[in-house]
């Protein structure tokens, strides 16, 4: 069951609130209805028991009628109750989907259970430094995929977004189209959520559907399908005509018993494998049913629409048929029923032959159906960004390299009320920004702002900026370098390895953007300055562009060389009534302020008079 809850144009927050209230109220109403239906079923059951008792005692017409009416009412109420329970669960799930949207807008997404922390890789060239995975990460913020494969697809895009401008533009079109389809996205997400906990690995379903380990060949399949029809016909003849049909009926029943036992082991293994996929089939069926309900306009989505309507039947109907075959085989769990059914009808063989026929007909399509399904999950996650942040901008991809031209660019993971935006322009080969500033002034956050927005741009989503022109660049970072006792690696040596990775990428001719925070902080000031200058010059000579933050103010003098594409900029702070204040605004030139002693005094490491004396010396 679906709900069409389209709302008038309003803010994302108000839309989520309206939809949450609507679906919550619907769920409460359906819960009340379901309680009444449950009471009616109980009443019908009592009528059956009482009527059946009097029918057994005397067989009065009223008792017979009451019993039959009770049975009919119970059957109808059971079907209606099951549907209403499904509708209630759907309404509750849609309310939860909108509640999650509210949480994202209120910056409570950090509490979401799935954060992709298991995908953290300290050796990835930017994922750890840019908070791509883990608590408070980009993945935790945008993820709306509820299948393991859908999350894997989204994670792989975040770890390696496309570089080809044509592919990125296609992705932009798909994301923009889905962003405008809130109702469809929520129905799709709800279909996945309703199956969470019961899904199986898609890889196992693909392996099963593509396998050709059939239990029955063409001849045996025909024999096992049609012999029970002959047996039933002979049994009917024996009932009315007696001998010699009775002897033939007994012979056929014995024959079918031996035919069943002959294939019993193979039947068991086939049925067990199919039963393992049964719950996952329901999840994928529901998701495919929603996917089939839309017509894509963007190239990537049109291609999926073709896939979902390929073959002789719609994918959801095909999976529903397979699930029903698995349901019929579920009778194996009831031995007292299972044995007679196999002796009389060759029950297992009938449904296994049908499942093998299904596999030959649809198996080749299953990998494509599921692959596109997981791609849709990842695209729907990306679509949240543009819909929830309509004031953000879709990047303009340019051919000239390198190019990063941003106006009003902010950190996507920060709340609106705390976010400070800045402008940046990099459009020369080998251009390097040398960013100086005191502690806590915003240098590291600025580097991450540039990096995360670059990743979002390559993903094909809107970015946190008023304007963003960019050429796709491969991002490399060196920011959170730590000791590794197991490998006997110091933090300084770890940073050297990261910088080496950047240099080697530039040597290979890759178009890269490098982000280095507090370059060579782990060594003495003389070596730090000499080494940093050598690395910056070499990367620039190889055409790489990037940003380097440092406390080494002398390093910023590299920008004095008019023949070099170096830019000096900084973040500053000021004091108000003795309190330290930051504006997080990027300014040209070298930093002229310091705050280390003030911070030491603030946390009680040094005495106030000593700190004030030091600050006066710095000011003079």
């Amino acid at each position: 069951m679906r709900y069409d809850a389209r709302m008038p144009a309003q803010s994302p927050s108000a839309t989520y609130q309206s939809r949450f209230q609507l679906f919550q109220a619907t769920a409460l109403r359906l819960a009340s209805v379901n309680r009444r239906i449950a009471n009616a079923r109980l009443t019908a059951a009592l009528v059956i028991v009482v009527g059946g008792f009097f029918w057994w005692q005397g067989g009065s017409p009223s008792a017979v009628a009451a019993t039959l009416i009770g049975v009919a009412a119970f059957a109808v109420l059971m079907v209606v109750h099951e549907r209403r329970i499904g509708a209630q669960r759907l309404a509750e799930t849609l309310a939860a989907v909108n509640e999650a949207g509210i949480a994202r807008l209120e910056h409570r997404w950090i509490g979401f259970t799935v954060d992709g922390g298991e995908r953290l890789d300290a050796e990835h060239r930017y994922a750890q430094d840019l908070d791509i995975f883990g608590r408070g990460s980009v993945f935790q913020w945008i993820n709306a995929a509820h299948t393991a494969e859908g999350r894997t697809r989204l994670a792989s895009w975040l770890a390696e977004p496309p570089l080809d401008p044509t592919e990125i533009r296609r992705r932009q079109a798909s994301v923009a189209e889905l962003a405008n389809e809130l109702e469809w996205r929520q129905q799709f997400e709800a279909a996945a959520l309703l199956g969470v906990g019961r899904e199986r690995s898609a890889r196992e379903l693909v392996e099963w559907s593509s396998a050709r380990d059939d239990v029955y060949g063409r001849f045996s399949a025909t024999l096992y399908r049609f012999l029970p029809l002959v047996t039933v016909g002979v049994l009917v003849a024996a009932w009315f005509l007696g001998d010699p049909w009775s002897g033939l009926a007994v012979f056929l029943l014995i024959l079918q018993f031996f035919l069943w036992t002959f294939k019993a082991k193979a039947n068991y293994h086939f049925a067990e494998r199919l039963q393992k996929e049964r719950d996952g089939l329901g999840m994928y069926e529901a998701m495919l049913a929603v996917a089939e309900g839309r017509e894509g306009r963007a190239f990537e989505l049109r291609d999926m629409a073709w896939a979902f309507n390929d073959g002789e039947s719609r994918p959801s109907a095909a999976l529903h048929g397979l699930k029903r075959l698995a349901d019929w085989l579920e009778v194996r769990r009831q031995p007292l029923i299972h044995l007679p059914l196999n002796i009389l009808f060759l029950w297992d063989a009938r449904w296994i032959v049908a499942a093998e026929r299904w596999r030959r007909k649809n198996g080749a399509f299953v990998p494509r159906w599921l692959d596109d399904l997981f791609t849709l999950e990842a695209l729907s996650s990306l679509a949240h960004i543009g819909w929830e942040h309509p004031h953000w901008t879709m990047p303009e991809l340019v051919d000239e390299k390198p190019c990063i031209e941003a106006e009003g660019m902010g950190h996507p993971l920060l709340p609106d009320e705390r976010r400070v935006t800045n402008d940046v322009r990099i459009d020369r080969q080998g251009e390097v920004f040398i960013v100086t500033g005191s502690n806590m002034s915003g240098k590291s956050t600025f580097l991450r702002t540039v990096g995360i927005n670059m990743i979002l741009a390559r993903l094909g989503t809107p970015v946190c900026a008023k304007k963003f022109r960019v050429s796709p660049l491969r991002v490399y970072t060196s920011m959170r370098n730590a000791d590794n006792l197991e490998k006997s690696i110091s933090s300084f040596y770890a940073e050297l390895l990261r910088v080496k990775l950047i240099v080697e990428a530039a040597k290979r001719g890759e178009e890269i953007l490098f982000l280095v925070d507090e370059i060579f902080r782990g060594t003495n000031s003389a070596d730090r300055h000499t080494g940093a200058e050598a690395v910056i010059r070499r990367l620039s000579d190889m055409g790489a562009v990037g940003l380097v933050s440092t406390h080494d103010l002398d390093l910023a003098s590299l920008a004095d060389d008019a023949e070099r594409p170096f830019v000096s900029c900084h973040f500053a702070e000021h004091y108000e009534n003795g309190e330290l204040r930051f504006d997080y605004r990027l300014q040209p030139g070298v930093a002229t302020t310091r705050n280390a002693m003030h911070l030491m005094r603030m946390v009680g490491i040094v005495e106030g008079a000593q700190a004030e004396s030091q600050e006066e010396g710095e000011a003079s």
Side-chain angles (χ1 to χ4, degrees):
M1 181 176 181
R2 286 193 181 192
Y3 299 100
D4 188 4
R6 300 181 187 277
M7 298 293 174
Q10 52 188 338
S11 71
S13 178
T15 300
Y16 279 143
Q17 289 285 356
S18 298
R19 293 176 65 84
F20 171 72
Q21 293 169 5
L22 169 66
F23 293 124
Q24 189 178 51
T26 302
L28 291 173
R29 177 177 57 80
L30 287 170
S32 176
V33 171
N34 285 329
R35 284 193 294 271
R36 292 197 294 271
I37 295 176
N39 291 333
R41 285 182 63 180
L42 179 60
T43 302
L46 291 174
V47 169
I48 294 171
V49 171
V50 174
F53 173 78
F54 285 107
W55 186 357
W56 177 264
Q57 292 295 320
S60 66
S62 58
V64 173
T67 303
L68 295 177
I69 292 173
V71 170
F74 187 87
V76 171
L77 288 170
M78 182 173 64
V79 173
V80 172
H81 198 197
E82 184 175 339
R83 291 180 178 177
R84 287 292 181 268
I85 289 174
Q88 178 186 340
R89 290 184 62 214
L90 177 58
E92 291 168 346
T93 304
L94 285 167
V97 168
N98 283 278
E99 191 173 22
I102 295 169
R104 279 194 299 271
L105 289 175
E106 295 179 353
H107 208 71
R108 291 185 286 109
W109 49 267
I110 294 178
F112 290 174
T113 303
V114 178
D115 62 12
E118 71 281 1
R119 305 177 194 278
L120 277 173
D121 178 5
E123 297 183 2
H124 190 275
R125 63 178 185 276
Y126 63 77
Q128 180 167 280
D129 291 341
L130 298 184
D131 301 310
I132 300 300
F133 303 112
R135 180 173 170 78
S137 66
V138 175
F139 182 89
Q140 188 180 28
W141 165 48
I142 66 174
N143 174 58
H146 301 287
T147 66
E149 291 82 0
R151 291 192 293 269
T152 298
R153 183 69 47 87
L154 177 62
S156 68
W157 289 356
L158 283 165
E160 192 58 66
L163 276 169
D164 179 30
T166 301
E167 184 179 356
I168 296 173
R169 290 188 182 100
R170 287 179 177 175
R171 180 73 55 75
Q172 286 180 336
S174 298
V175 170
E177 181 177 323
L178 289 175
N180 292 322
E181 298 182 5
L182 177 65
E183 176 66 28
W184 181 89
R185 283 190 286 111
Q186 292 197 347
Q187 295 282 353
F188 185 66
E189 185 177 355
L193 271 171
L194 286 168
V196 167
R198 303 195 308 274
E199 75 273 20
R200 292 277 298 175
S201 167
R203 177 180 56 81
E204 295 180 3
L205 178 57
V206 169
E207 288 176 354
W208 180 87
S209 63
S210 60
R212 288 297 173 263
D213 54 343
D214 290 350
V215 177
Y216 298 92
R218 179 175 297 180
F219 172 77
S220 60
T222 302
L223 174 65
Y224 277 76
R225 286 178 62 198
F226 290 103
L227 181 60
L229 299 178
V230 175
T231 301
V232 171
V234 171
L235 283 171
V236 172
W239 178 271
F240 289 103
L241 302 178
D243 293 331
W245 296 98
S246 298
L248 180 58
V250 171
F251 169 77
L252 289 175
L253 289 174
I254 294 173
L255 175 63
Q256 291 192 166
F257 173 78
F258 280 107
L259 287 174
W260 169 59
T261 56
F262 177 70
K263 290 286 189 179
K265 185 175 181 180
N267 286 345
Y268 173 81
H269 290 299
F270 187 98
E272 280 295 308
R273 179 71 187 276
L274 182 56
Q275 288 297 126
K276 288 179 180 178
E277 309 301 332
R278 181 169 169 266
D279 287 335
L281 289 172
M283 180 182 195
Y284 298 139
E285 174 199 341
M287 295 175 68
L288 283 166
V290 179
E292 293 162 357
R294 68 177 310 281
E295 293 292 336
R297 295 180 297 278
F299 175 84
E300 193 173 14
L301 298 177
R302 286 203 314 271
D303 193 38
M304 289 180 190
W306 173 86
F308 291 142
N309 291 280
D310 193 29
E312 297 180 13
S313 62
R314 298 172 76 88
S316 61
L319 290 185
H320 180 72
L322 182 59
K323 185 174 181 296
R324 291 198 58 177
L325 294 177
D327 289 340
W328 286 119
L329 287 169
E330 184 69 13
V331 75
R332 295 178 310 110
R333 314 297 183 194
Q334 306 294 330
L336 294 179
I337 301 175
H338 185 229
L339 178 61
L341 285 175
N342 275 287
I343 293 175
L344 187 60
F345 299 113
L346 291 174
W347 185 266
D348 289 351
R350 170 170 295 276
W351 303 117
I352 290 174
V353 166
E356 290 173 343
R357 190 166 62 249
W358 184 99
R359 188 162 62 176
R360 288 190 294 271
K361 176 183 176 182
N362 299 289
F365 297 111
V366 171
R368 176 67 187 276
W369 292 343
L370 296 183
D371 183 71
D372 284 347
L373 201 62
F374 305 139
T375 297
L376 266 179
E377 270 202 294
L379 287 173
S380 296
S381 295
L382 299 181
H384 285 313
I385 299 174
W387 191 86
E388 293 176 356
H389 302 279
H391 55 287
W392 291 11
T393 187
M394 187 68 81
E396 176 189 350
L397 299 176
V398 297
D399 295 327
E400 59 268 21
K401 293 182 179 181
C403 178
I404 302 176
E405 183 181 345
E407 294 181 8
M409 177 180 62
H411 197 300
L413 301 183
L414 290 177
D416 291 347
E417 62 273 14
R418 287 176 47 200
R419 184 185 299 121
V420 177
T421 63
N422 285 288
D423 301 343
V424 66
R425 183 187 182 98
I426 300 175
D427 56 7
R428 295 177 292 172
Q429 286 288 343
E431 187 166 7
V432 180
F433 275 53
I434 302 172
V435 187
T436 55
S438 54
N439 301 288
M440 301 169 57
S441 60
K443 302 187 300 299
S444 301
T445 299
F446 178 65
L447 267 59
R448 291 191 177 91
T449 297
V450 175
I452 294 175
N453 279 298
M454 173 60 75
I455 298 303
L456 292 181
R458 285 176 52 191
L459 279 171
T461 76
V463 298
C464 184
K466 294 180 180 178
K467 177 182 178 182
F468 203 79
R469 298 178 71 248
V470 66
S471 58
L473 300 170
R474 197 180 294 272
V475 178
Y476 286 81
T477 64
S478 176
M479 304 179 77
R480 288 175 175 149
N481 301 299
D483 297 341
N484 188 321
L485 296 178
E486 182 180 348
K487 297 182 179 179
S488 299
I489 294 176
S490 69
S491 59
F492 177 65
Y493 190 71
E495 182 179 8
L496 290 178
L497 294 178
R498 298 289 293 188
V499 173
K500 178 186 177 184
L501 191 69
I502 298 171
V503 172
E504 289 177 343
K507 285 174 64 177
R508 290 193 298 268
E510 294 182 16
E511 297 284 347
I512 72 170
L513 167 70
F514 63 89
L515 305 168
V516 181
D517 189 30
E518 300 294 351
I519 186 168
F520 296 151
R521 76 187 80 182
T523 189
N524 62 75
S525 58
D527 283 346
R528 176 175 60 188
H529 179 87
T530 304
E533 181 175 340
V535 167
I536 291 172
R537 288 183 182 277
R538 186 176 185 195
L539 287 171
S540 178
D541 289 341
M542 290 188 290
V545 299
L547 296 91
V548 176
S549 74
T550 181
H551 281 289
D552 181 2
L553 303 184
D554 292 336
L555 194 61
S557 63
L558 289 173
D560 296 337
D561 187 348
E563 297 181 1
R564 290 279 188 171
F566 297 149
V567 177
S568 176
C569 54
H570 73 280
F571 290 92
E573 74 280 351
H574 62 279
Y575 293 89
E576 289 183 7
N577 301 321
E579 295 292 328
L580 192 61
R581 294 285 185 267
F582 300 97
D583 61 12
Y584 305 112
R585 298 289 183 184
L586 187 65
Q587 302 177 40
V590 185
T592 59
T593 60
R594 298 166 177 80
N595 62 22
M597 295 303 295
H598 179 88
L599 294 174
M600 290 181 195
R601 180 181 60 189
M602 186 174 68
V603 299
I605 294 177
V606 297
E607 297 296 331
Q610 180 183 354
E612 288 172 3
S613 175
Q614 179 66 30
E615 287 170 359
E616 289 174 1
E618 290 175 350
S620 63

